[in-house]
Amino acid sequence: MKVYGRSCVFLARFSHTVSANCLPVDRLLKIDQKWKTETYSNHDLNNEGSKKQITKEKMYILSMFPYPSGSLHMGHVRVYTIADLLARFYRMKGYEVIHPIGWDAFGLPAENAALERQIKPEVWTSSNIVKMKQQLLAMNVQFDWQRSITTCSPTYYRWTQWLFLKLFKHKLAYQKYATVNWDPVDQTVLANEQVNSEGRSWRSGALVEKRTLNQWFLRITDYAHELNHDLDLLSGWPDQVRTMQRNWIGESHGYEVLFQLDDENGTQLPVFTTRPETLYGVSLIAVSKDHPLSIKERNTNCHFRDFLDKQAENAHDGYQLNVHARNPLTHTVVPVYYAPYVHNDYGTSAVMGVPQHNSADLLFWKQMGSPNSAIQVLVSENEGNETQIMSSNCGKHSFLNYKIAAKSVYEELSAKGLARKKTNYRLRDWLVSRQRYWGTPIPIIHCPNCGAVPVPEEQLPVTLPKLDKFSRDLSVFRNSKAYKEWCTTICPNCGSEAQREQDTLDTFVDSSWYFFRYLSPNEEGVPFQKQLAQKYMPVDIYLGGVEHSILHLLYARFFAKFMKTLGLWVDDEHRNEPFQRLVTQGMVHGKTYLHPKTNRYLKPDELVCKDGQIRLRDDLSLEPAISFEKMSKSKHNGVDPMGVLRTWGSDVVRAHILFSAPVDKVLNWDPNTAVGIKRWLLRVVQIAEQLQGSNTIEKVDVSQLSQTELSLLSELTSLVARAEDNYASRLGLNVLVSDLMKFTNLLTKCMKEDQVRPEVAHYALEILVRCMAPMTPCVSMECWELLRCPGSVFDAWPKMQLNIKKPFQERSIPVQINGKKRLELNVSSDAQMSEEQVIARLKDLKEAQKWMNGQTIEKVIIRPRIINIVLKR
Ligand SMILES: [Zn+2]
């Protein structure tokens, strides 16, 4: 009875509960200012706080590093909020957390922006970095600033160059002539994806030219097999991303079959196929433009040269070469064509044309005037049956199932040495040459005597030439005196005058290994210390946008595997996979207003708010149509994170972002709905203020608790477990915010109704704010102070002192309605329910109402393991 005796004291305290709305608006902003980390710390955050017990376990949390464009966008706010709360959570759990940040600072946008503003790219880049650091601090994200790296700094790109030289030494970097998309305005090579359907550059809009240049490639195809098969190990990655990678690598298993040419030497021509049984239907052989047969023809036949010169970009017609090939299975002789649809890098760059069974082959065969008869090889087993069997045209293989025939054809040819199994990949070698200034210089010297010679390691870094003036026109830039001086050097091999490589590296090379450098950011003798890589790699959680799911992740995996080749990081357990868990956060869409009649995007100044309704300024009778779309200038729906942070404070913004959508889904950013979050946080602060001066319970003694207190603390126990699960494994952060809000409501209700003693409420609030601390650090720290709790709210993740059982054990019991199982009811396991209780419970359940559909209950039959409901007919 102690409980009720004491209750009179705090009844008075709780009776004057202030509504959250009445609190001063800037209360949260003040808390935000008070507790936010104002400067970036340069010390190890793991050692902060005296009480913290660091376990031996490490947790490497990595977010994709930003490009220093000068301003953060809402997508950054989202990803860094998630990364920050994970880092804070794992630190509370006692892990040694690595949570670095850096700058992906080379690249074309910096160069173009610098040109437009007439300042050097390095000046523009470093001023942007300063701005963006301030913005990250405004978000209250705690990074290990002392680990920070910048890819355009010579202390970093020295090691990018060093790794390039290692690739060169291992014959994984090589030069090759390649036809590329050339942007004459930006003076650089463009990837196919950067050329639009009209053949114009996505950036400059210029008509793209084809040029043949000697370019540097990385032989990523040597790792294709590993890169494909090790995807199986990455169970912590979204399936969708693994599928995208698999498709990009495009492993296919097939056969190389040897045809014999009718030239003077009887040369054998290897042809790749995945379907050897279709050898019965080959009408022609098609080879690519760079196939040796095409090259030979080009050198001997001026008509073919003419044909190629005049051939339009996307033409489909081929050219019959002066050679024939004999089919190794049927011994039929077929013509050989140059065909534009055969890719230079695919298989052997020679394919069999089987017009009856391949639409591309059929099209080409018709285009060439149907030079011979097309033979049907496969037929359906019988009408309406999908199973394919060999037709009557297939000699001894006729009428066999096609799979059996394929095996038999292969075995027959392989026994004669005319076929072998071959794995083919869609993945191509990685073209890394960029004809730009603002990138890592490729550390190669071209000597007239020795060819391409690597710059000696001790001469690294090859720093970028310092230029007074810098022109968009690369030829002007490269003709400058300073540039020429930079270019001219001595061959390290023979001492002759030689020229430096002028191309710089694709920025994807810089970002392929940065997560290793974070571990030894100031290391001078090696790119990173092996023992640190052995300790902290692989990255435990990698967060970033799904748009990097293919190229960046593939290149980073390639580099991580190459580290094993170098012996710099060896992790056989994870097969040198660098990222154990991948979290791809969804995009942030902005609220977009459209004209209701014309669907034109409306600018903010075209709208007014009248009687709480948004209207068109020009015609107040019209309401705009509202949608959520990808943020862009043309849609006038961009959101400035700094404005949002100033209005709401970082805690509200963080919690609102987490609450608005599951991590991997699109988030529709609507600041108006942040009001709910604000009210919740204010209520938490308000409870802490009310409990100021009260004590906490040192130890939970179940025998001393009232039924309500027991129920509250049991709810709290399960809240802590769910919160831990949602932070650590599930990442159900929207659910977590809603759980925390619900508990706050429960606590408020118990206190209002005078059902808990202050010390129990105090204890519950302590635990609640510790659960909240990773996502809303400022409010949690403020409450911690108000409650006069010792140490820091971040010192430890809450452990419930006692394993509090629920006041009653629940079990679920199936409910049948008119003989069909429709739902389950949670009932107390030790009490028998009465008919009235069952009916009352069903009335509260939407699901039950759906099945009963307004009909009255005729009969309720309660058995220990089932409840039967009979409805009136
Ligand atoms: Zn030389």
Side-chain angles (χ1 to χ4, degrees):
M1 286 298 98
K2 253 181 178 175
V3 177
Y4 298 100
R6 281 187 187 186
S7 63
C8 313
V9 183
F10 63 92
L11 176 69
R13 295 176 55 130
F14 290 150
S15 55
H16 60 273
T17 309
V18 190
S19 152
N21 292 331
C22 305
L23 280 169
V25 185
D26 59 357
R27 179 77 173 98
L28 288 178
L29 292 178
K30 277 186 182 151
I31 293 174
D32 212 57
Q33 285 311 314
K34 178 174 166 190
W35 293 104
K36 210 149 61 175
T37 324
E38 284 295 342
T39 52
Y40 26 92
S41 62
N42 268 322
H43 60 275
D44 188 351
L45 292 163
N46 292 311
N47 295 328
E48 251 187 12
S50 50
K51 278 193 171 177
K52 206 172 288 179
Q53 298 270 315
I54 298 215
T55 64
K56 293 234 163 59
E57 276 183 272
K58 64 94 183 178
M59 178 59 58
Y60 189 170
I61 297 166
L62 178 72
S63 11
M64 291 180 185
F65 62 167
Y67 177 77
S69 61
S71 52
L72 293 180
H73 53 69
M74 289 306 288
H76 289 127
V77 180
R78 189 177 192 189
V79 67
Y80 300 134
T81 297
I82 299 165
D84 183 61
L85 75 86
L86 287 174
R88 288 176 191 263
F89 167 74
Y90 281 106
R91 284 200 175 109
M92 286 176 83
K93 290 282 289 174
Y95 284 78
E96 185 186 1
V97 172
I98 308 278
H99 185 221
I101 185 80
W103 310 96
D104 190 10
F106 269 139
L108 198 52
E111 196 168 314
N112 287 342
L115 284 168
E116 278 157 24
R117 294 166 178 79
Q118 285 297 306
I119 47 170
K120 290 180 188 170
E122 58 265 41
V123 176
W124 187 79
T125 303
S126 53
S127 73
N128 283 346
I129 289 176
V130 172
K131 276 187 225 160
M132 287 173 81
K133 271 184 168 178
Q134 289 304 327
Q135 293 165 356
L136 287 170
L137 289 178
M139 282 170 54
N140 201 14
V141 178
Q142 278 185 334
F143 284 116
D144 303 342
W145 289 104
Q146 81 284 6
R147 296 186 180 278
S148 188
I149 52 144
T150 309
T151 57
C152 66
S153 151
T155 57
Y156 180 86
Y157 70 68
R158 168 189 183 175
W159 298 108
T160 309
Q161 291 175 336
W162 186 89
L163 286 166
F164 179 87
L165 291 180
K166 294 292 174 201
L167 288 160
F168 183 74
K169 192 178 161 196
H170 283 81
K171 304 206 166 16
L172 292 168
Y174 66 95
Q175 253 183 317
K176 188 178 87 172
Y177 277 96
T179 309
V180 293
N181 303 308
W182 178 261
D183 180 335
V185 171
D186 273 344
Q187 300 266 319
T188 194
V189 168
L190 298 173
N192 287 333
E193 302 85 71
Q194 296 169 327
V195 181
N196 69 17
S197 55
E198 293 162 21
R200 289 180 183 277
S201 161
W202 66 301
R203 183 172 289 281
S204 69
L207 264 180
V208 168
E209 299 165 9
K210 289 281 175 193
R211 278 204 188 176
T212 305
L213 298 172
N214 203 13
Q215 311 250 327
W216 286 97
F217 288 83
L218 299 187
R219 211 182 296 278
I220 189 173
T221 50
D222 267 22
Y223 288 71
H225 178 83
E226 275 180 74
L227 289 170
N228 189 46
H229 288 266
D230 293 348
L231 285 170
D232 295 344
L233 300 175
L234 301 177
S235 54
W237 284 36
D239 284 340
Q240 169 212 4
V241 174
R242 288 202 283 176
T243 305
M244 280 156 88
Q245 293 239 331
R246 231 172 239 127
N247 293 341
W248 190 261
I249 297 166
E251 183 175 298
S252 62
H253 299 275
Y255 307 87
E256 205 173 271
V257 177
L258 297 177
F259 279 64
Q260 191 174 30
L261 296 178
D262 63 350
D263 62 2
E264 58 274 23
N265 304 322
T267 316
Q268 285 184 320
L269 173 70
V271 173
F272 181 79
T273 178
T274 53
R275 302 287 298 269
E277 77 281 12
T278 61
L279 270 164
Y280 281 108
V282 176
S283 290
L284 57 92
I285 297 290
V287 300
S288 74
K289 194 173 174 179
D290 291 347
H291 189 276
L293 290 179
S294 294
I295 292 171
K296 189 177 171 195
E297 188 86 18
R298 201 155 55 195
N299 292 338
T300 53
N301 178 353
C302 61
H303 296 294
F304 183 47
R305 271 203 301 277
D306 270 5
F307 171 84
L308 287 178
D309 288 346
K310 285 177 190 152
Q311 194 173 35
E313 184 63 31
N314 293 318
H316 297 293
D317 46 335
Y319 191 96
Q320 187 176 351
L321 306 181
N322 187 24
V323 69
H324 286 78
R326 182 181 295 275
N327 186 321
L329 183 70
T330 63
H331 307 291
T332 323
V333 172
V334 294
V336 180
Y337 287 85
Y338 150 70
Y341 76 97
V342 183
H343 202 285
N344 275 330
D345 296 314
Y346 181 76
T348 58
S349 63
V351 299
M352 338 190 295
V354 188
Q356 285 290 5
H357 299 286
N358 180 303
S359 55
D361 293 351
L362 181 64
L363 197 72
F364 184 73
W365 178 77
K366 281 186 177 163
Q367 200 125 23
M368 293 296 100
S370 314
N372 43 28
S373 52
I375 301 153
Q376 181 94 21
V377 179
L378 298 161
V379 288
S380 293
E381 194 170 24
N382 42 49
E383 217 169 311
N385 188 328
E386 293 283 306
T387 314
Q388 291 200 307
I389 60 164
M390 305 296 281
S391 72
S392 60
N393 303 322
C394 304
K396 62 181 173 190
H397 293 107
S398 297
F399 313 117
L400 284 176
N401 175 294
Y402 78 101
K403 281 184 185 164
I404 296 169
K407 191 164 177 274
S408 163
V409 167
Y410 164 68
E411 280 166 1
E412 186 183 324
L413 293 179
S414 135
K416 294 180 193 160
L418 293 172
R420 63 186 179 104
K421 285 188 180 168
K422 186 150 186 254
T423 306
N424 209 21
Y425 295 94
R426 184 182 165 266
L427 181 70
R428 306 270 77 90
D429 277 345
W430 173 13
L431 197 170
V432 293
S433 277
R434 293 292 179 273
Q435 291 69 40
R436 294 304 310 180
Y437 171 77
W438 193 235
T440 300
I442 296 177
I444 292 286
I445 291 166
H446 296 282
C447 167
N449 309 319
C450 315
V453 180
V455 171
E457 271 180 33
E458 61 276 12
Q459 286 177 23
L460 296 182
V462 176
T463 49
L464 282 166
K466 291 254 181 286
L467 298 168
D468 295 336
K469 242 187 161 174
F470 182 61
S471 163
R472 179 185 285 271
D473 184 345
L474 206 72
S475 57
V476 172
F477 159 62
R478 284 190 170 167
N479 281 323
S480 69
K481 191 165 163 268
Y483 188 78
K484 280 186 173 160
E485 274 173 20
W486 177 84
C487 244
T488 308
T489 185
I490 301 292
C491 169
N493 222 8
C494 71
S496 311
E497 190 178 298
Q499 294 290 306
R500 287 195 187 281
E501 170 64 56
Q502 301 188 350
D503 287 352
T504 49
L505 288 171
D506 179 4
T507 53
F508 274 113
V509 180
D510 306 318
S511 57
S512 289
W513 73 282
Y514 73 108
F515 42 92
F516 285 102
R517 186 67 181 171
Y518 280 146
L519 302 176
S520 317
N522 306 312
E523 188 61 49
E524 290 188 353
V526 281
F528 53 91
Q529 275 186 32
K530 182 178 177 178
Q531 69 186 81
L532 294 177
Q534 294 301 114
K535 183 173 175 193
Y536 294 115
M537 285 293 291
V539 168
D540 295 278
I541 307 175
Y542 194 19
L543 301 112
V546 77
E547 65 275 19
H548 299 293
S549 297
I550 299 179
L551 294 183
H552 163 62
L553 291 171
L554 195 65
Y555 296 152
R557 294 178 60 220
F558 163 55
F559 263 75
K561 288 178 187 298
F562 178 59
M563 294 304 177
K564 184 181 171 179
T565 311
L566 292 178
L568 272 176
W569 174 51
V570 181
D571 185 354
D572 290 331
E573 186 196 338
H574 301 105
R575 292 192 54 82
N576 267 55
E577 281 296 334
F579 313 123
Q580 283 304 289
R581 183 173 180 192
L582 177 70
V583 177
T584 50
Q585 92 278 3
M587 285 175 63
V588 181
H589 284 182
K591 203 170 189 176
T592 315
Y593 296 95
L594 295 121
H595 195 286
K597 288 180 179 162
T598 62
N599 264 352
R600 181 173 63 82
Y601 292 111
L602 297 167
K603 291 179 193 157
D605 61 10
E606 290 179 279
L607 301 162
V608 283
C609 187
K610 191 170 174 275
D611 308 327
Q613 287 284 330
I614 306 277
R615 307 270 175 178
L616 266 68
R617 187 181 289 279
D618 287 350
D619 183 349
L620 292 176
S621 69
L622 291 179
E623 279 180 46
I626 294 174
S627 63
F628 286 89
E629 297 181 25
K630 190 176 167 178
M631 292 186 189
S632 87
K633 272 185 191 153
S634 61
K635 293 176 186 168
H636 317 294
N637 62 351
V639 173
D640 170 27
M642 291 306 109
V644 171
L645 287 164
R646 270 192 300 275
T647 310
W648 298 97
S650 63
D651 276 10
V652 175
V653 173
R654 289 162 65 108
H656 183 48
I657 279 185
L658 300 170
F659 181 58
S660 298
V663 168
D664 58 344
K665 297 284 183 305
V666 166
L667 188 163
N668 291 333
W669 175 259
D670 186 353
N672 297 336
T673 53
V675 170
I677 296 286
K678 191 180 92 181
R679 282 201 195 112
W680 165 51
L681 294 180
L682 282 171
R683 181 166 303 146
V684 175
V685 175
Q686 180 199 353
I687 299 172
E689 279 170 344
Q690 287 169 2
L691 291 169
Q692 246 181 322
S694 67
N695 292 322
T696 185
I697 38 175
E698 287 297 321
K699 221 176 157 192
V700 179
D701 181 351
V702 179
S703 65
Q704 298 291 310
L705 298 177
S706 72
Q707 197 63 21
T708 310
E709 288 172 343
L710 198 58
S711 176
L712 181 77
L713 294 193
S714 105
E715 190 49 52
L716 186 63
T717 312
S718 92
L719 175 76
V720 172
R722 284 200 307 272
E724 188 164 346
D725 185 38
N726 277 318
Y727 279 126
S729 42
R730 214 193 286 274
L731 227 55
L733 303 172
N734 55 329
V735 180
L736 176 54
V737 177
S738 128
D739 269 1
L740 294 165
M741 287 167 133
K742 275 185 207 151
F743 185 81
T744 311
N745 291 342
L746 180 65
L747 181 60
T748 313
K749 182 170 170 272
C750 291
M751 286 167 70
K752 258 190 190 167
E753 290 169 3
D754 191 16
Q755 299 280 312
V756 289
R757 287 168 292 156
E759 55 265 46
V760 175
H762 191 292
Y763 174 79
L765 187 65
E766 263 175 48
I767 306 254
L768 173 70
V769 296
R770 279 203 277 169
C771 289
M772 289 166 59
M775 56 172 68
T776 54
C778 297
V779 164
S780 304
M781 286 194 270
E782 175 73 8
C783 293
W784 198 253
E785 190 184 65
L786 288 169
L787 294 174
R788 294 179 206 280
C789 295
S792 153
V793 67
F794 290 105
D795 279 347
W797 180 254
K799 250 192 216 142
M800 294 302 287
Q801 282 177 357
L802 272 187
N803 210 0
I804 299 164
K805 284 185 183 169
K806 293 213 165 193
F808 54 82
Q809 292 282 309
E810 273 191 343
R811 66 186 175 105
S812 68
I813 183 163
V815 178
Q816 287 198 347
I817 299 175
N818 280 352
K820 284 205 172 123
K821 195 202 144 189
R822 296 300 193 190
L823 63 144
E824 297 203 334
L825 264 191
N826 288 333
V827 298
S828 159
S829 60
D830 39 17
Q832 183 72 33
M833 277 185 113
S834 68
E835 249 184 67
E836 292 72 40
Q837 279 172 321
V838 169
I839 292 169
R841 289 284 299 279
L842 290 178
K843 259 189 186 163
D844 285 346
L845 280 178
K846 254 195 191 149
E847 206 189 345
Q849 290 305 313
K850 188 178 86 188
W851 294 114
M852 298 202 289
N853 199 20
Q855 288 166 275
T856 24
I857 295 172
E858 190 172 72
K859 213 171 173 188
V860 180
I861 308 154
I862 303 169
R863 297 267 177 271
R865 289 173 194 281
I866 197 156
I867 297 174
N868 271 302
I869 306 290
V870 183
L871 300 174
K872 235 176 217 163
R873 290 187 187 254

